Amino acid sequence: MKQTIYHLLLVLALALSANPVVAQPATVKVTFRGNSPTINDFVASLARAYKGNAEFSDFANDVRGGTRNFVNVKIVSDGRNGYASREVESGYDASVNKTEMCYWNCANKREKIVAVNMVTRNPDGIDDCYIAFYRYDNAKRVMKKIPAPFDREVKPIDFTKPLRTRPERINYARNVSGEDANSWAPIFSLPQIGKDIEITIADGMQLQLSERQWLRYVWNGNGFTLTLVD
């Protein structure tokens, strides 16, 4: 019963935290000076289009001031690598909420892919995440929301190493559903250095280290290819 109540609270928290992101505008006018926007321009433009959202407003205001640390708050504004983040630790339960954005230059040299990622990391090991993507056209100075540009979505079975994981656990991963699926959800980390998106499992305690697959979305010039690291 206690576990069921916890999962219900987790689902509610996910719904409340994800709704603003889901409601992001489909089209965003990007305002900038010079020949190409910086990561701060993308953050500020999204915050302006996403009126009334205090979290994105705070994100834009903070990254404008550059990389720095406060008590329980860490800001990264890395124009050189096209990455920005705002990380806030809760004094109540030690959970960490992180909002991050970055962009990739497409192979056609006319477009960029922009990602917005919101992650909550909890001391109990059960994390949650929401990620969204935009395609930016420099000629039009507009970015439009797009489906995740993955060659395929990661699945629970992808997190297990067949030769090191018990057959019954592999079968469970293959058929996991309902509330249990929350703990097998993918958690994404955007790159500040490099181009690939790191992927972990929401509840890392589900699998021993020897059982886990290490997954990565590898940038291919216009999107990402799911790749096993080992």
Side-chain angles (χ1 to χ4, degrees), residues 1-13 126 179 182:
M1 180 67 177
K2 185 176 180 180
Q3 184 74 1
T4 300
I5 292 174
Y6 172 80
H7 278 300
L8 288 174
L9 290 173
L10 176 61
V11 170
L12 178 60
I126 300 180
E179 291 181 358
N182 293 330

Side-chain angles (χ1 to χ4, degrees), residues 3-74:
Q3 184 74 1
T4 300
I5 292 174
Y6 172 80
H7 278 300
L8 288 174
L9 290 173
L10 176 61
V11 170
L12 178 60
L14 278 169
L16 291 175
S17 63
N19 278 342
V21 182
V22 173
Q24 284 180 21
T27 301
V28 175
K29 180 69 175 178
V30 180
T31 303
F32 61 93
R33 295 180 179 179
N35 296 323
S36 184
T38 66
I39 186 61
N40 286 6
D41 293 324
F42 284 122
V43 173
S45 295
L46 183 59
R48 282 193 297 270
Y50 195 14
K51 296 178 181 178
N53 185 276
E55 184 167 354
F56 271 88
S57 178
D58 290 343
F59 182 30
N61 289 334
D62 282 342
V63 301
R64 187 183 299 116
T67 298
R68 61 204 191 281
N69 294 333
F70 303 104
V71 176
N72 297 329
V73 180
K74 180 180 179 182

Side-chain angles (χ1 to χ4, degrees), residues 78-124:
D78 186 349
R80 180 177 180 181
N81 290 300
Y83 176 89
S85 66
R86 181 177 187 266
E87 191 171 323
V88 181
E89 181 179 352
S90 169
Y92 175 71
D93 61 2
S95 63
V96 176
N97 293 303
K98 184 175 185 179
T99 303
E100 58 179 354
M101 286 183 68
C102 72
Y103 68 82
W104 296 259
N105 295 310
C106 293
N108 64 17
K109 299 182 180 180
R110 298 188 305 273
E111 298 176 316
K112 302 179 190 293
I113 298 292
V114 183
V116 184
N117 191 37
M118 299 182 71
V119 182
T120 298
R121 297 196 177 277
N122 299 286
D124 57 20

